[in-house]
Amino acid sequence: MSSSTIVVNDNIVAYLLDHIRAESHTARALREATATMPAAVMQISPLQGAFMAWMVHQFNVRNAIEVGTFTGYSALCVAEALPAEGKLIACDVSEEWTDIAQDYWRRAGVESKIDLQLRPAIETLDELLANNRASTFDFAFIDADKPNYDGYYERCLQLLRVGGVVAVDNVLWSGQVANELSQDSSTRAIRQLNDKIKSDDRVSAVMLPVGDGLTLATKL
Ligand code: CA
């Protein structure tokens, strides 16, 4: 089968990294500190971080949500790109990981732009909806536990304004979504959401081979 998508080897990654705006000193320090941790694979790449920052500028984002913060690199990339009055609601359940995140957010001077919610994200999103925050967000990034992806997607879609964008990470799941032998709960949940978004007439969506697969869906 032919493919029109380039196979990105280490040389090409190095070239790409050499041709995007460099991450901030603090973002780099956080990314390198996280890279030594066992769960480092959960961190987005600097390329994706640059893409997130670009989206914040491009979509004129003021109010953003992140579902799945880990040690805070993606939130830092978003917060640095937000205007001074911008706000990111960051959802995670790990005190251990988000303690690291908060340390680096402070070092970068963006802590006032980030509202960390340390509890199951579904609770935070439901509370926002109950507090009349539906249709008030410009951007949402979903990158947490995969079995709950559909629940996150549905709630984020309600919270977004028309024209707002939801970005869903890991939609290719190391290729497992295309391997019928993979039937674990995470793979199945991602597959189901991918199938749903494809025919979801509430959004205009595209699935990109960025990182581990990234879907961008604009609320119509
Ligand atoms: Ca991810």
Side-chain angles (χ1 to χ4, degrees), residues 41-44 141 143 146 149 169-170:
V41 67
M42 288 169 56
Q43 179 169 248
I44 66 167
F141 179 51
D143 187 17
K146 310 314 174 197
Y149 257 30
D169 199 36
N170 300 105

Side-chain angles (χ1 to χ4, degrees), residues 18-215:
D18 203 31
H19 289 82
I20 58 172
R21 183 187 291 193
E23 62 200 334
S24 70
H25 175 78
T26 309
R28 182 186 180 119
L30 170 56
R31 183 172 56 77
E32 290 180 347
T34 303
T36 64
M37 296 171 56
V41 67
M42 288 169 56
Q43 179 169 248
I44 66 167
S45 70
L47 287 172
Q48 195 168 336
F51 188 41
M52 302 268 290
W54 177 83
M55 286 194 285
V56 170
H57 290 135
Q58 177 64 24
F59 304 140
N60 205 16
V61 174
R62 294 286 183 278
N63 289 294
I65 305 169
E66 175 177 84
V67 181
T69 290
F70 188 41
T71 59
Y73 180 76
S74 52
L76 180 52
C77 293
V78 166
E80 287 178 333
L82 281 172
E85 74 278 15
K87 205 67 148 183
L88 170 68
I89 295 178
C91 307
D92 208 288
V93 291
S94 170
E95 194 167 355
E96 179 191 351
W97 288 340
T98 55
D99 277 353
I100 298 169
Q102 288 177 292
D103 178 24
Y104 283 86
W105 296 342
R106 272 190 294 271
R107 290 195 214 178
V110 297
E111 77 274 22
S112 64
K113 294 183 188 175
I114 303 175
D115 173 8
L116 175 66
Q117 293 287 322
L118 200 58
R119 54 179 167 154
I122 293 285
E123 291 179 21
T124 300
L125 301 175
D126 279 343
E127 188 175 285
L128 288 168
L129 288 167
N131 290 338
N132 297 316
R133 294 297 307 274
S135 304
T136 65
F137 286 86
D138 310 297
F139 181 68
F141 179 51
I142 298 174
D143 187 17
D145 53 307
K146 310 314 174 197
N148 277 319
Y149 257 30
D150 186 65
Y152 300 144
Y153 174 76
E154 285 298 326
R155 286 162 178 79
C156 286
L157 210 52
Q158 290 182 64
L159 289 164
L160 286 177
R161 63 171 168 81
V162 170
V165 174
V166 56
V168 186
D169 199 36
N170 300 105
V171 293
L172 295 178
W173 204 226
S174 304
Q176 294 307 308
V177 288
N179 177 1
E180 286 186 9
L181 297 177
S182 293
Q183 293 296 338
D184 60 280
S185 60
S186 292
T187 305
R188 287 160 59 114
I190 295 169
R191 259 191 215 124
Q192 282 167 13
L193 183 58
N194 289 344
D195 290 346
K196 174 175 171 169
I197 292 176
K198 179 187 174 188
S199 55
D200 189 345
D201 58 15
R202 297 171 297 174
V203 297
S204 168
V206 62
M207 184 187 286
L208 300 171
V210 172
D212 190 30
L214 185 69
T215 287

